[in-house]
Amino acid sequence: MRGVWISLNSRCWLSLFVFALMAAPLSLRVLAQTTEPFKADLVIRADQPQFTINRNIYGQFAEHLGRDIYDGLWVGENSPIPNTRGIRNDVVAALKRLNVPIVRWPGGCFADEYHWRDGIGPRDKRPQRLNTWWGGVIETNAFGTHEFMDFCELIGAEPYIAGNVGNGTPQEFLEWVEYMTSDSDSTLANLRRQNGREKPWKVKYFAVGNEPWGCGGNMRAEYYADLFRRYGTFIKSYSGNTVQRVASGGPPSDYNWTETLMNLAGRQMQGYSLHYYTLPTGNWDKKGSATEFGEAEWHKTLERTLRMDELIGKHTAVMDKHDPQKRVGLIVDEWGTWYDAAPGKDQGALYQQNSLRDAIAAAINLNIFQKHADRVQMANIAQMINVLQAMILTDKEKILLTPTYHVFEMYKVHQGATLIPTELTAPDYKFGQDSIPSLHASASRDAAGRLHLSIVNLDPNHAAQVTTKIMGMSAKNVTGRVLTAPVMNAINTFDKPETVKPAPFTSFKIEGDQIMLTLPSKSVVVLEFQ
Ligand code: AHR
């Protein structure tokens, strides 16, 4: 019998396979079909360079919320956790590897009840306040202006400050900016010196409130437009520091808010913000789980992530009407996935796990920001540590890097580079009645002339065979990395922190002027062409 099997030629094997397949139950046949790679074509227009990708698109956001600041980055000088002036060394080292360009602080909703004078001077004299937005916990104010600026300097990032319009005053705006940036002999500049900082800091971006339509004061667009003009007047430039005023956008798809703000206050602003979160269900009462999900939720989450493109496109169209020169930057200063807090976890702390699905969502968003980089001047993922779509999770002395962290690390090659257009032809990824693109790509060329491609395979079942052509360059070699995992909901845990991490990418063949790439299903790939 064994001999018979061995002597079967390949045609017989094929007939046997087809016969077995036809006889197999439908589910098995579907499985056999679904594991076939799909084919796609990609043209990279290196001959048509576009605009500069502002590196601030790779910005972060840290709010006094849950364990983002306290535990996450601040442990205090007396902590057994290794730190520099109270700031965790492990977190600083990890963030430095991302080249974080800018960090938004202190909120979020928290910003509109934060009074900056609470957070300066000797720490044991700082007031204890209630953090009414986030769990009613005690805010010790141990982390204030000096600590934040110290943190920014440690990781090499710029500060982006959000001022309090909700229950603060224009006087606080005036004084905070003077305290931080004036090199004069004024009482406020000397107070800063007395508190340990001789030289002023540079503060290039200052937001006039946060979500004034909601937690920032439940305002109407017309009323906020006037407040923006009033508060913005008292943000002044001292000692060679020039501050850009960022106005708050409305709810994600409120284009009328954008119209009103651009009309009434467009000339006074240098930036205009957009917030958009990806909820798998789109329902704030039952958002969906971070880790317990199947393909239906995977597909919906990515579909909702892709909405960012439409939102930016439509807000840009309104802004273009008032500001065709694109002087005002669109600042997407809150974005990311938002799930139900894990059962048993503090619901006010917004702690969530981060899976391969989040990595795919992050990569799509970053590709979208790059596509719109002529208008999008900054983006800040929410949030940096232990909150929402975080880079880093901490547990006392332990830290882990999330799949989203790895995307930011892989994508840093695009920071400050020139956008190169890409043309993709690929089948849709369908689930039930819904279709979304199966691939999502972006390319750039850096100052040293290196061409980088980031490409995402959204399909969790099929690899992609991508025939790639580069116009205006002939590639002799390809290097890069791939981020994927065996299952959609793979996560890193404190026990297994390296389940999802980048690996070298070697699945390519160069054939004449074409490069054949094979992308695994559910993967993010970043390549450099030489
Ligand atoms: O990022 C969490 C919260 O979401 C922010 O504080 C607020 O601005 C937004 O609604």
Side-chain angles (χ1 to χ4, degrees):
M1 183 66 187
R2 195 161 176 262
V4 176
W5 279 107
I6 290 167
S7 66
L8 281 172
N9 65 27
S10 56
R11 267 186 83 167
C12 283
W13 273 113
L14 190 65
S15 330
L16 254 181
F17 176 72
V18 171
F19 174 78
L21 200 59
M22 295 318 289
L26 183 66
S27 56
L28 258 185
R29 272 187 272 155
V30 169
L31 191 70
Q33 287 160 11
T34 56
T35 48
E36 277 290 301
F38 64 87
K39 293 196 175 0
D41 291 296
L42 171 68
V43 181
I44 303 176
R45 301 302 315 237
D47 56 336
Q48 293 179 1
Q50 292 189 325
F51 25 79
T52 303
I53 299 165
N54 194 318
R55 56 190 299 259
N56 288 343
I57 281 175
Y58 290 85
Q60 299 284 331
F61 169 35
E63 179 168 10
H64 288 242
L65 191 182
R67 296 187 302 111
D68 199 339
I69 303 287
Y70 301 110
D71 278 6
L73 65 90
W74 176 261
V75 286
E77 286 156 333
N78 301 325
S79 168
I81 297 173
N83 67 83
T84 303
R85 296 179 292 280
I87 298 165
R88 290 182 78 128
N89 292 346
D90 48 5
V91 164
V92 167
L95 292 173
K96 275 173 94 165
R97 291 197 292 276
L98 296 186
N99 291 353
V100 176
I102 193 157
V103 183
R104 176 177 185 244
W105 175 85
C109 296
F110 180 81
D112 275 304
E113 61 177 27
Y114 181 66
H115 299 281
W116 70 274
R117 281 178 186 269
D118 288 353
I120 58 167
R123 273 186 218 108
D124 58 352
K125 302 255 172 352
R126 296 185 191 174
Q128 312 256 319
R129 307 273 185 216
L130 288 179
N131 185 336
T132 66
W133 284 112
W134 305 116
V137 298
I138 293 288
E139 168 57 58
T140 64
N141 281 300
F143 192 86
T145 301
H146 288 252
E147 291 78 11
F148 173 63
M149 293 298 197
D150 193 12
F151 166 69
C152 286
E153 287 182 343
L154 284 173
I155 65 166
E158 269 194 85
Y160 169 25
I161 305 283
N164 177 353
V165 172
N167 70 1
T169 62
Q171 181 74 7
E172 284 175 280
F173 272 47
L174 182 82
E175 293 184 353
W176 198 5
V177 176
E178 182 187 329
Y179 180 88
M180 290 187 288
T181 63
S182 169
D183 204 11
S184 72
D185 197 23
S186 75
T187 301
L188 277 169
N190 284 327
L191 181 59
R192 182 195 67 237
R193 294 188 182 99
Q194 197 182 309
N195 287 332
R197 174 73 183 198
E198 176 59 34
K199 284 277 140 220
W201 295 287
K202 291 280 183 221
V203 177
K204 193 162 161 205
Y205 298 94
F206 200 99
V208 179
N210 169 75
E211 297 189 358
W213 49 272
C215 65
N218 285 306
M219 303 175 207
R220 294 171 310 115
E222 291 79 3
Y223 181 69
Y224 171 69
D226 278 342
L227 285 190
F228 171 79
R229 291 166 62 124
R230 178 175 172 219
Y231 279 64
T233 304
F234 298 96
I235 299 173
K236 311 239 171 166
S237 293
Y238 305 97
S239 312
N241 181 71
T242 309
V243 190
Q244 313 223 348
R245 296 159 187 78
V246 180
S248 294
S253 57
D254 191 340
Y255 306 109
N256 192 43
W257 181 287
T258 304
E259 173 64 38
T260 307
L261 262 289
M262 289 304 293
N263 187 29
L264 298 179
R267 275 202 299 276
Q268 282 80 19
M269 68 177 78
Q270 289 77 43
Y272 175 79
S273 79
L274 166 67
H275 291 180
Y276 174 60
Y277 287 98
T278 303
L279 279 58
T281 60
N283 173 359
W284 283 98
D285 295 329
K286 207 167 180 353
K287 298 178 266 299
S289 162
T291 51
E292 304 293 312
F293 60 86
E295 192 175 345
E297 292 85 358
W298 167 278
H299 195 277
K300 266 284 166 242
T301 305
L302 301 186
E303 184 186 310
R304 290 181 193 284
T305 299
L306 287 157
R307 252 200 95 204
M308 181 66 92
D309 193 20
E310 176 195 326
L311 291 168
I312 293 177
K314 289 187 172 167
H315 285 292
T316 295
V318 178
M319 293 174 81
D320 282 352
K321 233 174 64 188
H322 297 270
D323 172 35
Q325 272 78 46
K326 300 191 191 283
R327 188 188 53 79
V328 180
L330 185 60
I331 311 282
V332 190
D333 55 16
E334 288 188 28
W335 67 272
T337 51
W338 193 326
Y339 306 114
D340 294 325
K345 294 275 180 197
D346 176 3
Q347 302 294 304
L350 307 190
Y351 178 88
Q352 65 189 34
Q353 248 297 356
N354 193 296
S355 74
L356 179 64
R357 178 177 59 169
D358 295 271
I360 303 274
I364 293 171
N365 272 311
L366 293 170
N367 286 348
I368 293 171
F369 300 149
Q370 296 198 164
K371 172 181 164 193
H372 295 279
D374 56 338
R375 180 62 84 176
V376 177
Q377 293 298 315
M378 192 199 302
N380 310 75
I381 189 169
Q383 298 193 6
M384 196 162 59
I385 309 165
N386 293 327
V387 170
L388 300 178
Q389 192 175 351
M391 304 296 111
I392 297 173
L393 302 179
T394 69
D395 180 14
K396 301 184 189 76
E397 77 290 352
K398 293 189 203 155
I399 71 166
L400 68 81
L401 308 178
T402 64
T404 299
Y405 173 97
H406 292 303
V407 169
F408 271 71
E409 195 276 319
M410 291 162 73
Y411 269 58
K412 68 184 175 190
V413 292
H414 291 304
Q415 291 186 14
T418 303
L419 186 76
I420 298 293
T422 48
E423 295 159 6
L424 253 179
T425 314
D428 275 350
Y429 159 39
K430 297 195 170 94
F431 189 84
Q433 299 302 307
D434 297 331
S435 291
I436 56 176
S438 52
L439 296 178
H440 203 272
S442 185
S444 73
R445 179 179 276 147
D446 69 12
R450 288 172 297 223
L451 181 68
H452 292 107
L453 168 72
S454 45
I455 182 160
V456 190
N457 184 357
L458 285 66
D459 190 320
N461 305 312
H462 301 83
Q465 278 175 359
V466 187
T467 305
T468 306
K469 262 187 120 159
I470 307 175
M471 310 305 281
M473 175 187 170
S474 87
K476 306 268 172 304
N477 195 20
V478 183
T479 52
R481 286 180 295 163
V482 53
L483 187 73
T484 187
V487 291
M488 289 182 285
N489 55 355
I491 56 172
N492 292 335
T493 64
F494 292 102
D495 294 333
K496 288 193 179 153
E498 301 206 334
T499 304
V500 189
K501 66 167 187 181
F505 178 84
T506 51
S507 310
F508 69 91
K509 260 195 292 182
I510 301 181
E511 293 173 357
D513 65 345
Q514 295 189 333
I515 306 154
M516 318 301 285
L517 305 171
T518 305
L519 314 176
S521 61
K522 50 180 169 357
S523 65
V524 179
V525 170
V526 178
L527 302 175
E528 181 177 315
F529 298 96
Q530 297 97 13

